[in-house]
Amino acid sequence: MKTLETCQTLDAQDPLRPLRDLFSLPEGVIYLDGNSLGVLPKTAAARVAEVVTEEWGQGLIRSWNSAGWFDMPQRMGDKIATLIGADAGEVVATDSTSINLFKVLSAALSMVQQDAPQRKIIVSERSNFPTDLYIAQALCAERGFKLQLVEPEEIAASLTDEVAVLMLTHVNYRTGAMHDMAAITQLAHAAGTLTVWDLAHSAGAVPVALKADGADFAVGCSYKYLNGGPGAPAFVWVNPIHAERFWQPLAGWWGHAAPFAFTPDYQPAPGINRYLCGTQPILSMAALECGLDTFAAAQALGGMAALRQKSLALTDLFMELVEQRCAGYGLGLVTPREHSQRGSQVCLTRQSGAFAIVQALIARGVIGDFRAGDGQVHPDILRFGFTPLYIGFEDVWNAVEHLKQVLESGEWQAPEFNQKHTVT
């Protein structure tokens, strides 16, 4: 049985431990919600202040050239590319995940309408993140397609000759379950179907190999495991074999081949640059770069492989301790135990009180979050994310100790922990 001393020893032996010092972690907080919003890199505040006071305040419009503002989407994109199995020049950081999904899904549907117009179905997982489903619903209504929702075990059988696109999130936001990207993409291509992957819960948390796995399109956000800050620009990747086949639907001036020619007609930029649209949020880009630069430090200590190894050790430990120390309190586990089938989070269930238990933990400084079920197939979730850049093994022990105390004392039943706010 693991003890507090065991966890402290694991921290002392952890080669990634120095990375924790790159982040501003509030005193008294165990932060297990980096899968929703990553913590602040220590360099970010000063860097954003520098952009405001020097580059904007003194450089003014000259900074588009002198400070490299104009090339930020490509520069951030190249840094993200190293984390998702893409090459330089294939990724841009821009817009939001929802907007980027609209772009790539629209382009994918245009390809299908040209190559196989009889295919009229988009398949996705029923528990996919809702914004992905909403974007797909809107495009289906506009283009005359149908959205078909299935359970994970039904995906293979759903890939009929009517399916145009398979749209999946690599790591499920509710359960932490991870799809086998290579195997599913191979199945989809064998069925004549294009793949669109959302990497929101995998970029920076698990190794991703978009090109090696043969994916067609991918999007993702940067404010979770990439620590880019609230509302940080998202990213978009298109397999180079598809990148120049179609315009994306938001044909803005930043995606023009020569934006400062100011011609009245749109001519798309080559490659991934056509997936840009309007003027970029430079302050947010500067903060994002600070988050991405922490991965450069991690690279010197083993990179994504080492981060993944630690992530699995942290989540294994959390599951083991919850089962040992919180037995008898009605907690279930929906996150797969198999390493190859899970991301970097652990999701627990309880028939009642899940929301209030999370709120009681937050009041103690253990920050996770709650995701509501549907009252039928999918239960309520107590969700805990483990970012190996800054979470340690003693953090895991202490988090489970607080969970045990919350359950034993019944403090979660207090009225203040049962009041829902707008953001859960």
Side-chain angles (χ1 to χ4, degrees):
M1 182 178 291
K2 299 291 194 304
T3 65
L4 173 59
E5 291 72 24
T6 303
C7 296
Q8 291 170 337
T9 299
L10 289 170
D11 279 335
Q13 297 171 344
D14 177 18
L16 300 179
R17 186 69 173 178
L19 298 174
R20 185 183 179 98
D21 295 334
L22 301 177
F23 298 91
S24 296
L25 292 161
E27 188 70 28
V29 168
I30 301 171
Y31 192 68
L32 303 182
D33 211 9
N35 55 324
S36 202
L37 175 65
V39 302
L40 176 70
K42 285 182 178 178
T43 58
R47 174 60 184 138
V48 172
E50 179 185 35
V51 175
V52 172
T53 60
E54 298 297 325
E55 296 179 10
W56 177 15
Q58 299 299 315
L60 295 168
I61 200 169
R62 294 170 294 183
S63 290
W64 284 107
N65 292 315
S66 62
W69 286 359
F70 190 78
D71 298 327
M72 275 182 148
Q74 293 83 1
R75 190 165 75 246
M76 300 309 109
D78 285 349
K79 294 184 178 187
I80 293 168
T82 65
L83 304 175
I84 60 175
D87 291 331
E90 293 180 357
V91 179
V92 286
T94 185
D95 297 323
S96 69
T97 306
S98 300
I99 292 173
N100 288 334
L101 181 62
F102 179 80
K103 296 173 189 174
V104 300
L105 189 54
S106 177
L109 295 181
S110 295
M111 289 172 57
V112 172
Q113 286 176 316
Q114 181 180 85
D115 298 340
Q118 77 281 3
R119 293 178 178 266
K120 290 293 184 181
I121 296 175
I122 300 172
V123 169
S124 192
E125 194 173 346
R126 185 169 285 108
S127 63
N128 200 352
F129 192 73
T131 198
D132 294 33
L133 302 182
Y134 303 160
I135 294 294
Q137 287 171 2
L139 276 169
C140 283
E142 177 186 318
R143 299 286 197 96
F145 284 74
K146 174 186 175 183
L147 179 61
Q148 178 181 336
L149 302 182
V150 301
E151 297 300 328
E153 63 273 13
E154 299 171 333
I155 290 172
S158 72
L159 296 174
T160 68
D161 58 6
E162 296 180 285
V163 176
V165 174
L166 175 63
M167 180 188 73
L168 295 173
T169 296
H170 188 210
V171 175
N172 186 282
Y173 83 104
R174 297 187 76 258
T175 66
M178 182 169 67
H179 290 295
D180 184 332
M181 182 183 290
I184 290 178
T185 298
Q186 185 176 13
L187 283 174
H189 288 173
T193 298
L194 295 171
T195 59
V196 173
W197 291 95
D198 184 336
L199 306 180
H201 287 270
S202 47
V206 301
V208 180
L210 287 173
K211 289 190 78 173
D213 290 347
D216 296 300
F217 302 88
V219 299
C221 71
S222 64
Y223 50 78
K224 295 182 171 67
Y225 293 104
L226 299 183
N227 304 301
F235 62 88
V236 56
W237 172 84
V238 178
N239 193 308
I241 65 174
H242 303 315
E244 298 191 20
R245 284 199 60 187
F246 285 94
W247 298 3
Q248 56 100 346
L250 304 177
W253 76 302
W254 273 62
H256 193 283
F260 287 92
F262 297 116
T263 60
D265 62 314
Y266 180 75
Q267 296 296 326
I272 194 62
N273 288 335
R274 69 180 58 192
Y275 281 81
L276 297 170
C277 181
T279 306
Q280 304 300 309
I282 299 304
L283 300 182
S284 293
M285 285 281 189
L288 169 58
E289 189 160 24
C290 295
L292 294 175
D293 284 347
T294 64
F295 286 91
Q299 187 62 36
L301 298 174
M304 282 307 306
L307 290 171
R308 176 60 170 166
Q309 183 178 6
K310 182 179 176 182
S311 162
L312 292 170
L314 291 168
T315 48
D316 279 342
L317 176 65
F318 185 78
M319 289 188 284
E320 179 182 345
L321 291 177
V322 167
E323 289 178 338
Q324 290 175 357
R325 310 191 72 231
C326 301
Y329 289 101
L331 295 175
L333 175 70
V334 294
T335 302
R337 297 178 186 274
E338 296 82 357
H339 287 180
S340 64
Q341 295 178 24
R342 74 167 184 258
S344 198
Q345 66 189 56
V346 177
C347 300
L348 307 176
T349 63
R350 200 169 188 271
Q351 283 193 333
S352 62
F355 172 80
I357 292 168
V358 170
Q359 300 313 302
L361 284 170
I362 292 172
R364 285 169 165 259
V366 180
I367 302 181
D369 62 23
F370 166 82
R371 291 294 177 260
D374 58 11
Q376 300 173 2
V377 176
H378 304 117
D380 287 349
I381 296 288
L382 301 85
R383 195 175 71 147
F384 303 96
F386 296 83
T387 303
L389 287 166
Y390 51 78
I391 295 298
F393 295 93
E394 186 175 354
D395 293 328
V396 175
W397 172 273
N398 290 331
V400 175
E401 175 62 24
H402 281 290
L403 176 59
K404 179 174 178 284
Q405 292 178 14
V406 165
L407 294 168
E408 283 182 343
S409 67
E411 66 192 67
W412 61 272
Q413 299 175 66
E416 62 265 30
F417 298 139
N418 287 270
Q419 299 294 319
K420 288 193 176 182
H421 303 286
T422 302
V423 178
T424 61

